[in-house]
Amino acid sequence: NAGVMQNPRHLVRRRGQEARLRCSPMKGHSHVYWYRQLPEEGLKFMVYLQKENIIDESGMPKERFSAEFPKEGPSILRIQQVVRGDSAAYFCASSPSLGDYEQYFGPGTRLTVT
Amino acid sequence: SQQGEEDPQALSIQEGENATMNCSYKTSINNLQWYRQNSGRGLVHLILIRSNEREKHSGRLRVTLDTSKKSSSLLITASRAADTASYFCATDQFNSGGSNYKLTFGKGTLLTVNP
């Protein structure tokens, strides 16, 4: 049973380019969460999605960031016109349902903006 | 404000010793979870303790929860060099919609176990 998959593992973008981060949840999990980890910090919640629905995007920056979880395929976190401050590790987690369930995390995508 | 705060920020011990890490939080919680993160890697879920539980064991791990003090501790017994990692506590609270999916993490404790 494969865990949460994220790709790419490392992504380098120049300022102004777009970054696309992909996440495939664990089999049977329909809830996806994205978190961002800045250096030396804990993870910060960004967005919670179910298939074709954004449930809570209260942690997402208002501009340049968007997320989707289509009916088919992985969840995508998209960052447009990246800036140096976007450099961080982005983690995706999934759970089978809401409630008292653990969130299982992927290995993360480390984004470096040069 | 930071919900979870781990203490100490860094801990260095010898193999075979026990390691204790603490976590304090500010608001009422539903669950508290502990995660491990090896350098440059993803998070590994260690244990979940519910707000109505006081203690939980899993292998060499022992977690306690004191909701009156809004604190939790993670004890790793008979530590090994492979336990070297950062350890994070994460809490969830019910929001106005009745859901508790949003995890709030502290900055972590960096544990170094010397062989």
Side-chain angles (χ1 to χ4, degrees):
Chain A
N1 184 16
V4 177
M5 312 273 284
Q6 287 187 253
N7 67 81
R9 296 290 305 276
H10 299 273
L11 181 61
V12 180
R13 284 285 178 267
R14 289 197 180 92
R15 278 180 298 171
Q17 291 185 319
E18 178 179 288
R20 278 182 175 247
L21 289 62
R22 287 176 289 277
C23 167
S24 296
M26 284 181 71
K27 189 175 180 180
H29 287 193
S30 57
H31 301 252
V32 167
Y33 318 84
W34 285 92
Y35 292 82
R36 177 165 66 176
Q37 184 180 33
L38 296 170
E40 315 271 322
E41 297 277 328
L43 278 70
K44 297 285 194 292
F45 170 83
M46 298 181 75
V47 62
Y48 159 47
L49 309 105
Q50 296 178 24
K51 286 282 186 182
E52 300 184 281
N53 280 304
I54 297 174
I55 308 301
D56 181 351
E57 55 182 349
S58 59
M60 291 269 276
K62 293 285 184 277
E63 297 175 350
R64 302 186 297 108
F65 284 71
S66 63
E68 62 176 8
F69 189 15
K71 188 176 180 182
E72 302 290 337
S75 174
I76 306 285
L77 179 67
R78 183 178 174 213
I79 311 172
Q80 295 178 292
Q81 299 174 320
V82 295
V83 300
R84 287 227 172 96
D86 297 333
S87 295
Y90 292 83
F91 290 96
C92 166
S94 72
S95 68
S97 182
L98 277 180
D100 297 336
Y101 293 100
E102 296 91 343
Q103 292 183 16
Y104 293 87
F105 281 79
T109 293
R110 272 150 189 85
L111 172 65
T112 302
V113 179
T114 61
Chain B
S1 62
Q2 191 79 13
Q3 170 70 337
E5 291 278 355
E6 291 89 348
D7 165 56
Q9 288 187 329
L11 179 62
S12 181
I13 59 174
Q14 296 299 123
E15 242 181 343
E17 293 180 338
N18 295 342
T20 299
M21 287 159 274
N22 303 297
C23 168
S24 60
Y25 56 90
K26 293 182 172 63
T27 60
S28 297
I29 63 168
N30 185 48
N31 301 306
L32 186 144
Q33 305 182 51
W34 284 91
Y35 287 84
R36 184 185 74 225
Q37 184 181 35
N38 290 85
S39 180
R41 308 292 289 273
L43 276 77
V44 174
H45 185 268
L46 296 176
I47 200 163
L48 178 151
I49 187 165
R50 305 189 196 289
S51 58
N52 62 354
E53 297 176 312
R54 292 296 166 258
E55 188 171 310
K56 207 160 182 181
H57 296 255
S58 177
R60 294 184 295 114
L61 305 180
R62 173 177 166 251
V63 168
T64 62
L65 179 65
D66 187 336
T67 52
S68 66
K69 294 181 180 177
K70 292 187 170 58
S71 67
S72 172
S73 68
L74 171 67
L75 168 67
I76 304 175
T77 59
S79 63
R80 305 166 183 166
D83 294 329
T84 294
S86 290
Y87 290 82
F88 294 90
C89 69
T91 58
D92 65 65
Q93 306 86 33
F94 282 110
N95 61 21
S96 57
S99 301
N100 63 321
Y101 50 79
K102 190 183 299 186
L103 294 183
T104 304
F105 287 80
K107 293 185 179 182
T109 292
L110 176 59
L111 173 67
T112 303
V113 181
N114 301 299

